């Protein structure tokens, strides 16, 4: 299993998560140092986890709602999670018009009203990253498909719910800083 092999080669400990597409036995057989069934269990292994703020119940999504995951809220209450909303940190309001990535090179993000919000997304990602670095975050759990936090697929820019390969702005920045990102859907 590639990620576990990479961890072994780099002389690093590895954590397998059973909510992905591999089961516990397969992860254990592949040599994972730890296998967890719930996000909060990661907190017992690593020092500080970065989390999308909407996953701990902050009403910061574009529609003014949240994507609460109770296990992550519990971790937050225990002080083992640092949460950020890059879009709000970039100065965008809540609620706000939905936005999607139109192009990666050069980066262009627009709302469904064709307003260019690239600057706000980049600014928010930089601010969120400075918080992660200050807390020495090594692992993050993000909301799937967000143009900021999403990792395994983003919307194609047509606001028609069509998915394409790609990462959100902040998720990409995390990867560039060596932060391992796990996705969480609701
Ligand atoms: Fe949640 Fe991230 Fe979107 Fe903020 S930017 S609402 S934290 S997914």
């Amino acid at each position: 299993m590639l990620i576990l092999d990479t961890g072994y080669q780099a002389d690093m400990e590895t954590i397998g998560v059973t909510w992905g597409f591999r089961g516990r036995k397969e992860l254990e057989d592949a040599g994972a140092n730890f296998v967890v069934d719930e996000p909060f269990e990661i907190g017992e292994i690593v020092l500080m986890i970065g989390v999308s703020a909407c996953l701990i119940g902050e009403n910061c999504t574009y529609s003014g709602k949240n994507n609460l995951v109770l296990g992550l809220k519990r971790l937050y209450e225990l002080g083992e999670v640092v949460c950020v909303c890059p879009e709000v940190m970039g100065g965008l309001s809540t609620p706000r018009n939905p936005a999607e990535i139109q192009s990666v090179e050069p980066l262009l993000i627009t709302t469904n009203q064709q307003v260019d919000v690239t600057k706000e997304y980049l600014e928010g990602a930089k601010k969120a990253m400075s918080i992660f670095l200050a807390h020495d975050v090594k692992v993050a759990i993000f909301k799937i498909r967000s143009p900021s936090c999403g990792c395994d697929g983003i919307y194609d820019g047509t606001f028609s719910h069509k998915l394409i390969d790609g990462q959100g702005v902040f998720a990409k920045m995390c990867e560039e800083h060596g932060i391992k990102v796990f996705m969480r859907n609701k």
Side-chain angles (χ1 to χ4, degrees):
M1 209 172 294
L2 181 60
I3 290 175
L4 298 177
D5 286 346
T6 304
Y8 181 74
Q9 297 293 342
D11 200 22
M12 293 172 72
E13 304 268 279
T14 53
I15 304 172
V17 299
T18 58
W19 63 83
F21 46 86
R22 310 278 186 194
R24 171 173 286 276
K25 182 163 187 329
E26 210 174 339
L27 292 165
E28 286 173 347
D29 289 348
N33 297 102
F34 306 92
V35 177
V36 298
D37 298 313
E38 290 291 335
F40 73 84
E41 294 175 59
I42 297 174
E44 293 162 6
I45 302 167
V46 298
L47 280 180
M48 187 62 82
I49 306 170
V51 173
S52 301
C54 57
L55 292 176
I56 64 112
E58 292 287 324
N59 292 323
C60 56
T61 68
Y62 76 88
S63 58
K65 297 179 182 163
N66 63 67
N67 298 301
L68 176 64
V69 175
L70 281 173
L72 290 175
K73 186 172 174 65
R74 185 177 151 208
L75 260 189
Y76 175 70
E77 289 164 351
L78 291 170
E80 296 184 12
V81 155
V82 57
C83 61
V84 292
C85 177
E87 292 174 22
V88 170
M89 294 175 82
L92 296 170
S93 62
T94 304
R96 54 191 173 275
N97 287 320
E100 294 188 2
I101 296 175
Q102 303 297 328
S103 94
V104 175
E105 282 292 337
L107 182 63
L108 176 64
I109 305 168
T110 66
T111 70
N112 60 350
Q113 303 299 308
Q114 285 85 48
V115 175
D116 184 345
V117 286
T118 311
K119 185 164 157 274
E120 287 84 351
Y121 271 70
L122 279 172
E123 192 61 30
K126 283 182 200 158
K127 286 182 183 170
M129 180 53 65
S130 68
I131 291 175
F132 273 18
L133 293 178
H135 286 84
D136 199 22
V137 167
K138 296 283 192 292
V139 174
I141 302 173
F142 286 165
K143 173 72 177 71
I144 201 167
R145 291 170 196 161
S146 155
S148 286
C149 301
C151 220
D152 42 3
I154 53 171
Y155 292 116
D156 71 348
T158 61
F159 298 94
S160 59
H161 298 287
K162 189 174 165 207
L163 284 171
I164 54 171
D165 286 341
Q167 295 169 291
V169 175
F170 185 48
K172 184 163 183 269
M173 201 177 278
C174 283
E175 186 183 274
E176 289 164 358
H177 281 79
I179 297 170
K180 174 65 190 158
V181 176
F182 296 93
M183 285 290 112
R184 182 76 193 202
N185 201 0
K186 273 295 293 174

